[in-house]
Amino acid sequence: MDVDVIVVGAGPTGLMLAAELGLAGVSAVVVERLAARGGQSKALGLQPRTAEVLELRGLLGPLLDRAVQLVPGGHFAGLRLDFGAWDTPHPHMVGVPQARVEALLEARAAELGVRVLRGHELTALAQDDDGVTATAGPVRLRGRHLVGCDGGRSAVRELLGIPFPGLDGRLRMAVADITLTGPAPTSWSLPVMTPSAAGKGYLAPLGDGVHRFLFYGPEQQDLPRDAPVTPEEVSRALAVSFGPGVRLTGIRWASRFTDASRQVTRYRHGRVLLAGDAAHIHSPMGGQGLNLGLQDAFNLGWKLAAEVGGRAADGLLDTYHAERHPVAARVLANTRAQAVLLVPDEENLALRGIIEELLRVPEANKVVAGMISGLDIRYPLPGEPHPLLGRPLPGLELRDGRAVLLTATNRLRAAAAPWSARVNHTPTTRDLGAEAVLVRPDGYVCWTGSDAGSLTGALSRWVGRP
Ligand SMILES: Cc1cc2nc3c(=O)[nH]c(=O)nc-3n(C[C@H](O)[C@H](O)[C@H](O)COP(=O)(O)OP(=O)(O)OC[C@H]3O[C@@H](n4cnc5c(N)ncnc54)[C@H](O)[C@@H]3O)c2cc1C
């Protein structure tokens, strides 16, 4: 089978990429090892910046319909963060299980003509000057590019011998989706995970009588990663955190994870690219991994579409690594810091107390909230310095000639096909401090100004050959 792009892995990253490629009219196929979607969710939430990104493609509304809850604010190692200081229409976490995000993205990709071949495990991979050849299950595929979205134990990475440098985990934690009796929380709260030598747990309702239980304590530190999470272990951890009144009645799904953190040094290897957990792993503290993967895919999709369509300017595809590698490196750093703050020894607790005090200062809280939510992302784009350059176009209303009000978001959604970059000379309800802006298909401002010469340069860099 010949396609433009082979996507390996139908997790959230691969499916988001599939939807973006489908939107751009690229012929793509997703190969997935699992025969059917599992229905389990590692991640439970979307950060504000991801909500903004999904809104650009009209995907946020359906996810809000499937959300369990909007959680006001976020957290850093269990310390409260307030997103309200940032200019965003979504100053909250969207509490929606990962499986529902995947189902929506898969449906969108299918609508746009991208097929997911389930039960097709990638086992072989070779690239040459013209393309990539891959074996997945019984089929042999030929693509012009291949993107490894196949998770933390990526076969793409393994098959190409791409190193995955970083740190082994030090803190071992467990997660279990359980049913229970007793006075359990009926709504989500921020995980108050003040470390305790006896252990700590966080409980949140997922609906249909199921609760998510995240826990760690001395017992988990001594268990190997592949040891099954037993009912006895879960019951002991529930008792430590919630007392004897909360009792386990069943386990639907359980797993172990650590705070291991690793990142590839290059996201592009010739015609093969890596995205999501295949490119970076870290502890789930703060709820960032799924968000990173979705935004990797969002950054990559339109660039790859331009490349296979023969329109891309030289170097456009390499901006994927240049823009996204530093974003994930920053997440690795913040999750490493959070892991330290969760270790219950005297020195760490003293440090935690100081960080807690600092986070009561609004300016400090804003900095960390921007880091965790993705709202502080600014890509280092070339051009005349301007506060908007490299930043997402802020929410604003544009008045067209007939004084019809449209949000900037609606305009991008309507024009979400590739190369929808457009210059808006339209009066806005807010002063952007620029006569005109050029916005990339991923919603980032890539040029501001009024000078036709510099606009021509920006158009050829970002829009390429028409
Ligand atoms: C306990 C826990 C809680 C978390 N909570 C959050 C949270 O609240 N917020 C957040 O943002 N993130 C969270 N995360 C992280 C998040 O779940 C991951 O970052 C996310 O799943 C990464 O998506 P992905 O698509 O890159 O990889 P994956 O979800 O791992 O998907 C990879 C896919 O590739 C497939 N695959 C693997 N090998 C092959 C092969 N050889 N051939 C074909 N297919 C293959 C797999 O079957 C899988 O479907 C959490 C993680 C854990 C462990």
Short mmCIF file of all heavy atoms in Angstrom, two decimals, residues 31-72:
data_model
loop_
_atom_site.label_atom_id
_atom_site.label_comp_id
_atom_site.label_asym_id
_atom_site.label_seq_id
_atom_site.Cartn_x
_atom_site.Cartn_y
_atom_site.Cartn_z
N VAL A 31 -1.24 2.74 11.60
CA VAL A 31 -1.15 1.32 11.97
C VAL A 31 -1.08 1.22 13.49
O VAL A 31 -0.35 1.96 14.14
CB VAL A 31 0.05 0.61 11.31
CG1 VAL A 31 -0.15 0.52 9.81
CG2 VAL A 31 1.38 1.27 11.64
N GLU A 32 -1.90 0.35 14.03
CA GLU A 32 -2.01 0.23 15.49
C GLU A 32 -1.89 -1.24 15.89
O GLU A 32 -2.57 -2.10 15.32
CB GLU A 32 -3.36 0.82 15.94
CG GLU A 32 -3.79 0.46 17.35
CD GLU A 32 -2.80 0.87 18.45
OE1 GLU A 32 -2.34 2.02 18.44
OE2 GLU A 32 -2.49 0.01 19.30
N ARG A 33 -1.05 -1.47 16.90
CA ARG A 33 -0.78 -2.84 17.36
C ARG A 33 -2.03 -3.51 17.93
O ARG A 33 -2.30 -4.68 17.67
CB ARG A 33 0.31 -2.75 18.43
CG ARG A 33 0.67 -4.03 19.08
CD ARG A 33 1.76 -3.81 20.10
NE ARG A 33 1.35 -2.83 21.12
CZ ARG A 33 2.14 -2.38 22.08
NH1 ARG A 33 3.39 -2.76 22.14
NH2 ARG A 33 1.70 -1.53 22.98
N LEU A 34 -2.80 -2.75 18.72
CA LEU A 34 -3.95 -3.36 19.40
C LEU A 34 -5.09 -3.64 18.43
O LEU A 34 -5.40 -2.82 17.56
CB LEU A 34 -4.47 -2.43 20.50
CG LEU A 34 -3.48 -2.09 21.61
CD1 LEU A 34 -4.10 -1.10 22.59
CD2 LEU A 34 -3.01 -3.35 22.34
N ALA A 35 -5.76 -4.78 18.64
CA ALA A 35 -6.84 -5.16 17.74
C ALA A 35 -8.08 -4.29 17.95
O ALA A 35 -8.87 -4.08 17.04
CB ALA A 35 -7.19 -6.62 17.95
N ALA A 36 -8.25 -3.78 19.18
CA ALA A 36 -9.41 -2.93 19.46
C ALA A 36 -9.01 -1.89 20.49
O ALA A 36 -8.05 -2.09 21.25
CB ALA A 36 -10.56 -3.79 20.01
N ARG A 37 -9.74 -0.79 20.50
CA ARG A 37 -9.45 0.25 21.50
C ARG A 37 -9.75 -0.30 22.88
O ARG A 37 -10.79 -0.91 23.11
CB ARG A 37 -10.29 1.49 21.21
CG ARG A 37 -9.69 2.69 21.76
CD ARG A 37 -9.94 4.02 21.06
NE ARG A 37 -10.67 4.05 19.83
CZ ARG A 37 -11.97 4.33 19.78
NH1 ARG A 37 -12.66 4.52 20.85
NH2 ARG A 37 -12.56 4.41 18.62
N GLY A 38 -8.83 -0.07 23.84
CA GLY A 38 -8.98 -0.67 25.17
C GLY A 38 -10.07 -0.04 26.00
O GLY A 38 -10.71 -0.70 26.81
N GLY A 39 -10.31 1.25 25.83
CA GLY A 39 -11.31 1.94 26.63
C GLY A 39 -10.75 2.48 27.94
O GLY A 39 -11.42 3.22 28.65
N GLN A 40 -9.48 2.12 28.28
CA GLN A 40 -8.90 2.67 29.50
C GLN A 40 -8.33 4.06 29.22
O GLN A 40 -7.96 4.35 28.09
CB GLN A 40 -7.76 1.80 30.04
CG GLN A 40 -8.22 0.55 30.71
CD GLN A 40 -8.24 -0.60 29.75
OE1 GLN A 40 -7.56 -0.58 28.73
NE2 GLN A 40 -9.03 -1.61 30.06
N SER A 41 -8.24 4.84 30.28
CA SER A 41 -7.70 6.19 30.14
C SER A 41 -6.57 6.39 31.11
O SER A 41 -6.78 6.27 32.32
CB SER A 41 -8.77 7.23 30.45
OG SER A 41 -9.77 7.20 29.47
N LYS A 42 -5.37 6.68 30.59
CA LYS A 42 -4.31 7.10 31.51
C LYS A 42 -4.61 8.55 31.92
O LYS A 42 -4.80 8.85 33.08
CB LYS A 42 -2.94 6.98 30.83
CG LYS A 42 -2.52 5.54 30.60
CD LYS A 42 -1.12 5.44 30.00
CE LYS A 42 -1.10 5.73 28.53
NZ LYS A 42 0.19 5.57 27.87
N ALA A 43 -4.69 9.42 30.94
CA ALA A 43 -4.90 10.84 31.24
C ALA A 43 -6.38 11.13 31.48
O ALA A 43 -7.25 10.51 30.89
CB ALA A 43 -4.39 11.70 30.09
N LEU A 44 -6.60 12.13 32.35
CA LEU A 44 -7.98 12.51 32.66
C LEU A 44 -8.28 13.96 32.30
O LEU A 44 -9.40 14.41 32.52
CB LEU A 44 -8.27 12.31 34.15
CG LEU A 44 -8.24 10.88 34.67
CD1 LEU A 44 -8.66 10.85 36.12
CD2 LEU A 44 -9.14 9.99 33.83
N GLY A 45 -7.28 14.68 31.80
CA GLY A 45 -7.60 16.09 31.62
C GLY A 45 -6.84 16.78 30.50
O GLY A 45 -5.77 16.35 30.09
N LEU A 46 -7.47 17.84 29.99
CA LEU A 46 -6.85 18.69 28.98
C LEU A 46 -6.50 20.03 29.60
O LEU A 46 -7.30 20.61 30.34
CB LEU A 46 -7.82 18.92 27.82
CG LEU A 46 -8.32 17.67 27.10
CD1 LEU A 46 -9.37 18.07 26.06
CD2 LEU A 46 -7.16 16.95 26.45
N GLN A 47 -5.32 20.49 29.28
CA GLN A 47 -4.87 21.80 29.79
C GLN A 47 -5.50 22.93 28.95
O GLN A 47 -5.92 22.70 27.81
CB GLN A 47 -3.35 21.89 29.68
CG GLN A 47 -2.60 20.91 30.55
CD GLN A 47 -2.61 21.29 32.03
OE1 GLN A 47 -3.05 22.38 32.40
NE2 GLN A 47 -2.13 20.39 32.88
N PRO A 48 -5.50 24.15 29.50
CA PRO A 48 -6.11 25.28 28.77
C PRO A 48 -5.58 25.48 27.35
O PRO A 48 -6.35 25.71 26.42
CB PRO A 48 -5.75 26.48 29.66
CG PRO A 48 -5.70 25.92 31.03
CD PRO A 48 -5.12 24.53 30.87
N ARG A 49 -4.27 25.34 27.15
CA ARG A 49 -3.76 25.58 25.79
C ARG A 49 -4.26 24.50 24.84
O ARG A 49 -4.54 24.77 23.66
CB ARG A 49 -2.22 25.63 25.79
CG ARG A 49 -1.60 25.83 24.43
CD ARG A 49 -1.97 27.18 23.78
NE ARG A 49 -1.69 27.19 22.34
CZ ARG A 49 -2.50 27.70 21.43
NH1 ARG A 49 -3.65 28.27 21.77
NH2 ARG A 49 -2.18 27.68 20.16
N THR A 50 -4.38 23.27 25.31
CA THR A 50 -4.90 22.21 24.45
C THR A 50 -6.36 22.48 24.11
O THR A 50 -6.81 22.23 22.99
CB THR A 50 -4.76 20.84 25.15
OG1 THR A 50 -3.43 20.72 25.61
CG2 THR A 50 -5.06 19.70 24.20
N ALA A 51 -7.11 22.99 25.09
CA ALA A 51 -8.51 23.33 24.82
C ALA A 51 -8.57 24.38 23.71
O ALA A 51 -9.40 24.28 22.78
CB ALA A 51 -9.18 23.85 26.09
N GLU A 52 -7.67 25.36 23.76
CA GLU A 52 -7.66 26.40 22.71
C GLU A 52 -7.36 25.77 21.35
O GLU A 52 -7.99 26.10 20.33
CB GLU A 52 -6.58 27.45 23.01
CG GLU A 52 -6.85 28.31 24.23
CD GLU A 52 -5.73 29.30 24.50
OE1 GLU A 52 -4.69 29.27 23.81
OE2 GLU A 52 -5.87 30.11 25.42
N VAL A 53 -6.39 24.87 21.32
CA VAL A 53 -5.98 24.24 20.08
C VAL A 53 -7.12 23.41 19.49
O VAL A 53 -7.44 23.50 18.29
CB VAL A 53 -4.74 23.34 20.36
CG1 VAL A 53 -4.55 22.30 19.29
CG2 VAL A 53 -3.48 24.20 20.50
N LEU A 54 -7.78 22.64 20.33
CA LEU A 54 -8.89 21.80 19.85
C LEU A 54 -10.04 22.66 19.36
O LEU A 54 -10.75 22.31 18.41
CB LEU A 54 -9.34 20.84 20.94
CG LEU A 54 -8.30 19.77 21.30
CD1 LEU A 54 -8.72 19.01 22.56
CD2 LEU A 54 -8.10 18.78 20.15
N GLU A 55 -10.20 23.81 19.99
CA GLU A 55 -11.28 24.70 19.58
C GLU A 55 -11.03 25.22 18.16
O GLU A 55 -11.98 25.44 17.39
CB GLU A 55 -11.40 25.88 20.56
CG GLU A 55 -12.70 26.63 20.37
CD GLU A 55 -12.92 27.71 21.39
OE1 GLU A 55 -11.94 28.15 22.02
OE2 GLU A 55 -14.07 28.16 21.52
N LEU A 56 -9.77 25.39 17.80
CA LEU A 56 -9.45 25.86 16.44
C LEU A 56 -9.97 24.91 15.37
O LEU A 56 -10.15 25.29 14.22
CB LEU A 56 -7.93 25.99 16.26
CG LEU A 56 -7.24 27.15 16.96
CD1 LEU A 56 -5.73 27.06 16.75
CD2 LEU A 56 -7.75 28.48 16.44
N ARG A 57 -10.16 23.64 15.74
CA ARG A 57 -10.63 22.66 14.76
C ARG A 57 -12.06 22.22 15.04
O ARG A 57 -12.52 21.21 14.51
CB ARG A 57 -9.72 21.42 14.76
CG ARG A 57 -8.29 21.71 14.34
CD ARG A 57 -8.21 22.16 12.89
NE ARG A 57 -6.83 22.28 12.45
CZ ARG A 57 -6.17 23.43 12.36
NH1 ARG A 57 -6.76 24.58 12.67
NH2 ARG A 57 -4.91 23.44 11.96
N GLY A 58 -12.74 22.95 15.92
CA GLY A 58 -14.13 22.59 16.22
C GLY A 58 -14.25 21.30 17.01
O GLY A 58 -15.32 20.67 17.02
N LEU A 59 -13.17 20.88 17.69
CA LEU A 59 -13.21 19.61 18.43
C LEU A 59 -13.49 19.80 19.91
O LEU A 59 -13.76 18.83 20.63
CB LEU A 59 -11.87 18.88 18.26
CG LEU A 59 -11.59 18.34 16.86
CD1 LEU A 59 -10.12 17.99 16.69
CD2 LEU A 59 -12.45 17.10 16.60
N LEU A 60 -13.41 21.05 20.38
CA LEU A 60 -13.58 21.23 21.82
C LEU A 60 -15.03 21.03 22.25
O LEU A 60 -15.29 20.38 23.28
CB LEU A 60 -13.09 22.63 22.24
CG LEU A 60 -13.20 22.88 23.75
CD1 LEU A 60 -12.28 21.93 24.53
CD2 LEU A 60 -12.85 24.33 24.09
N GLY A 61 -15.97 21.58 21.48
CA GLY A 61 -17.39 21.46 21.85
C GLY A 61 -17.79 20.02 22.13
O GLY A 61 -18.30 19.70 23.21
N PRO A 62 -17.54 19.11 21.16
CA PRO A 62 -17.90 17.71 21.41
C PRO A 62 -17.20 17.11 22.63
O PRO A 62 -17.76 16.26 23.32
CB PRO A 62 -17.45 16.98 20.14
CG PRO A 62 -17.24 18.03 19.11
CD PRO A 62 -17.04 19.33 19.80
N LEU A 63 -15.98 17.58 22.92
CA LEU A 63 -15.29 17.05 24.10
C LEU A 63 -15.89 17.60 25.39
O LEU A 63 -15.97 16.90 26.40
CB LEU A 63 -13.79 17.37 24.04
CG LEU A 63 -12.99 16.43 23.16
CD1 LEU A 63 -11.54 16.84 23.09
CD2 LEU A 63 -13.09 14.99 23.67
N LEU A 64 -16.32 18.87 25.33
CA LEU A 64 -16.98 19.42 26.52
C LEU A 64 -18.25 18.64 26.81
O LEU A 64 -18.60 18.41 27.97
CB LEU A 64 -17.27 20.91 26.33
CG LEU A 64 -16.04 21.83 26.33
CD1 LEU A 64 -16.45 23.28 26.03
CD2 LEU A 64 -15.30 21.77 27.66
N ASP A 65 -18.94 18.22 25.75
CA ASP A 65 -20.14 17.41 25.96
C ASP A 65 -19.81 16.08 26.63
O ASP A 65 -20.65 15.47 27.28
CB ASP A 65 -20.83 17.09 24.61
CG ASP A 65 -21.39 18.35 23.97
OD1 ASP A 65 -21.55 19.35 24.68
OD2 ASP A 65 -21.64 18.32 22.74
N ARG A 66 -18.57 15.59 26.39
CA ARG A 66 -18.18 14.29 26.95
C ARG A 66 -17.40 14.45 28.26
O ARG A 66 -16.93 13.46 28.83
CB ARG A 66 -17.27 13.54 25.97
CG ARG A 66 -17.94 13.12 24.68
CD ARG A 66 -16.86 12.78 23.66
NE ARG A 66 -17.33 12.05 22.49
CZ ARG A 66 -17.91 12.63 21.46
NH1 ARG A 66 -18.15 13.93 21.45
NH2 ARG A 66 -18.28 11.90 20.42
N ALA A 67 -17.20 15.70 28.71
CA ALA A 67 -16.34 15.94 29.89
C ALA A 67 -17.06 15.52 31.17
O ALA A 67 -18.29 15.60 31.27
CB ALA A 67 -15.96 17.41 29.97
N VAL A 68 -16.28 15.07 32.13
CA VAL A 68 -16.85 14.75 33.44
C VAL A 68 -17.05 16.05 34.22
O VAL A 68 -18.05 16.25 34.89
CB VAL A 68 -15.89 13.82 34.22
CG1 VAL A 68 -16.44 13.49 35.60
CG2 VAL A 68 -15.63 12.53 33.43
N GLN A 69 -16.10 16.94 34.08
CA GLN A 69 -16.13 18.15 34.89
C GLN A 69 -15.09 19.15 34.40
O GLN A 69 -14.06 18.73 33.86
CB GLN A 69 -15.78 17.76 36.33
CG GLN A 69 -16.07 18.80 37.37
CD GLN A 69 -15.70 18.27 38.75
OE1 GLN A 69 -16.05 17.15 39.09
NE2 GLN A 69 -14.99 19.06 39.52
N LEU A 70 -15.34 20.45 34.60
CA LEU A 70 -14.29 21.44 34.40
C LEU A 70 -13.64 21.67 35.77
O LEU A 70 -14.35 21.92 36.75
CB LEU A 70 -14.86 22.76 33.88
CG LEU A 70 -15.52 22.71 32.50
CD1 LEU A 70 -15.97 24.10 32.07
CD2 LEU A 70 -14.55 22.13 31.47
N VAL A 71 -12.34 21.54 35.83
CA VAL A 71 -11.66 21.68 37.13
C VAL A 71 -11.02 23.07 37.18
O VAL A 71 -10.18 23.39 36.34
CB VAL A 71 -10.56 20.60 37.28
CG1 VAL A 71 -9.94 20.66 38.67
CG2 VAL A 71 -11.13 19.21 37.00
N PRO A 72 -11.45 23.90 38.13
CA PRO A 72 -10.90 25.25 38.16
C PRO A 72 -9.43 25.23 38.59
O PRO A 72 -9.12 24.83 39.70
CB PRO A 72 -11.77 25.97 39.21
CG PRO A 72 -12.38 24.88 40.02
CD PRO A 72 -12.37 23.62 39.23
#
